[in-house]
Amino acid sequence: MQSPFVRQSARLVWQSARYLANTPISRCSTRCNGVLQTHHAVRSIMLGPVLATTAVVSTAVATSAAILCTRVRTSGLTRVNIPVDSLLAAETLSALPSCYADAFQCRVAVHRGETVQEVHDRFLRAFFRSRVFQVERALLSALEPTLALALARAVGSNAVTPLTHTSDEDIERMTFKPGQNNKVAIFTMTDRRDMPSSSETIFQWSDRGRTWMCTRDPRVVVAGGGAATEVEPIFVDVLFGSALLNVAADKEADFGTFALIAPLHRAYSCILLAEAAHGLGKGSHKDTGSSST
């Protein structure tokens, strides 16, 4: 049997060991808790603005996307054949059969007293000043020349038009007439044709890339049976088209990257046209309101 002295000594050693063992642990736990609390506080301070900014940006993007999709859906926008007598057709015919081209159209109400040429000028300004194109201009400026070259290479272009930094005020002052400085970002106007019932303009953004815009007076529409029907003259058809020369139109799948870009390009074209048509119609409503007062 163990003597009482041995048992007391053992108990004392055990208690001392527990004290020595537990004290540092408790102190370390207290310190760790303090560090963790400080870390959580700092993280909250740092992540608070980030999370708030992310939430605001996400909400803005989602709202903008919903608005743009609604505009595309409600604009009556359709994909159409490229008019055979248009400037875009002349560009693509010279590059057949290895080219890609598309065109989209929607109808917009305009001021009754305007000529087609005046409406076309406003259409060009509405297009290049639209919020969607403002983002494109900003990206091109911020990522110059990387983004433009990447887009050009993706569609097989070897050279892209040099970037010109253009503000909304610069666009507003542009006349979009031949022989004058009519360049927006990387889009340089190369030709314009004004007819009694239509106006069209073509822009070049690379050695192979073309952008085309047209405004037509649809007052005389030939129906299927050949009979002509009258349409209200306060409406115009606005068209937006693109062409990529030296790219096979019906073999997109054979062109790798372009096969992936083509659907995105068509969707983006619809968004651009819908946004420009919205701005054009909005301007017409303002003109109508001011003229009626």
Side-chain angles (χ1 to χ4, degrees):
M1 293 180 63
Q2 295 178 345
S3 64
F5 175 77
V6 173
R7 287 198 299 269
Q8 291 177 0
S9 299
R11 188 179 297 112
L12 180 61
V13 170
W14 173 247
Q15 290 175 350
S16 299
R18 288 184 61 186
Y19 175 78
L20 293 174
N22 291 335
T23 300
I25 293 175
S26 62
R27 288 179 179 175
C28 182
S29 298
T30 303
R31 291 175 181 174
C32 288
N33 288 334
V35 171
L36 287 175
Q37 290 175 359
T38 305
H39 170 71
H40 290 315
V42 172
R43 187 174 65 175
S44 299
I45 294 173
M46 294 178 63
L47 291 183
V50 175
L51 293 176
T53 303
T54 303
V56 171
V57 171
S58 301
T59 303
V61 170
T63 304
S64 300
I67 293 173
L68 292 175
C69 290
T70 301
R71 286 180 182 169
V72 171
R73 189 173 61 252
T74 59
S75 64
L77 189 148
T78 57
R79 186 174 181 177
V80 297
N81 294 326
I82 298 172
V84 294
D85 58 345
S86 66
L87 293 175
L88 184 60
E91 290 276 354
T92 56
L93 286 174
S94 63
L96 286 177
S98 58
C99 71
Y100 170 85
D102 58 33
F104 300 89
Q105 171 185 301
C106 65
R107 185 158 292 182
V108 183
V110 297
H111 186 222
R112 188 182 295 270
E114 285 184 299
T115 64
V116 174
Q117 289 71 34
E118 291 172 338
V119 175
H120 186 64
D121 290 340
R122 287 204 302 110
F123 173 45
L124 295 175
R125 295 189 184 97
F127 180 91
F128 287 120
R129 294 185 61 185
S130 66
R131 293 182 180 180
V132 177
F133 198 81
Q134 284 177 350
V135 174
E136 181 175 341
R137 282 160 45 197
L139 288 175
L140 289 171
S141 298
L143 302 178
E144 176 193 7
T146 308
L147 179 60
L149 287 174
L151 293 174
R153 295 284 171 79
V155 297
S157 293
N158 298 317
V160 67
T161 305
L163 176 69
T164 299
H165 297 278
T166 315
S167 65
D168 285 349
E169 291 72 19
D170 295 331
I171 297 172
E172 189 64 30
R173 288 192 295 266
M174 289 182 182
T175 60
F176 295 105
K177 302 297 181 185
Q180 299 185 16
N181 183 22
N182 295 304
K183 182 179 180 181
V184 180
I186 60 174
F187 298 87
T188 303
M189 193 186 88
T190 57
D191 199 1
R192 172 167 177 159
R193 183 165 62 189
D194 293 320
M195 304 291 287
S197 59
S198 67
S199 287
E200 55 180 331
T201 311
I202 197 159
F203 295 82
Q204 178 176 341
W205 59 272
S206 76
D207 56 338
R208 297 183 182 181
R210 304 292 186 271
T211 294
W212 171 75
M213 279 171 273
C214 177
T215 305
R216 299 190 303 189
D217 185 349
R219 280 181 292 182
V220 179
V221 179
V222 179
T229 57
E230 289 293 328
V231 181
E232 284 291 334
I234 59 171
F235 289 92
V236 296
D237 290 332
V238 290
L239 296 89
F240 173 68
S242 304
L244 294 173
L245 310 182
N246 302 321
V247 177
D250 19 14
K251 295 183 179 180
E252 294 175 6
D254 298 337
F255 285 84
T257 306
F258 179 72
L260 300 175
I261 292 178
L264 298 176
H265 157 74
R266 288 191 283 266
Y268 184 58
S269 295
C270 292
I271 292 173
L272 281 171
L273 179 57
E275 183 74 359
H278 174 76
L280 178 62
K282 189 175 179 181
S284 297
H285 295 328
K286 288 181 179 179
D287 293 340
T288 304
S290 61
S291 61
S292 62
T293 55

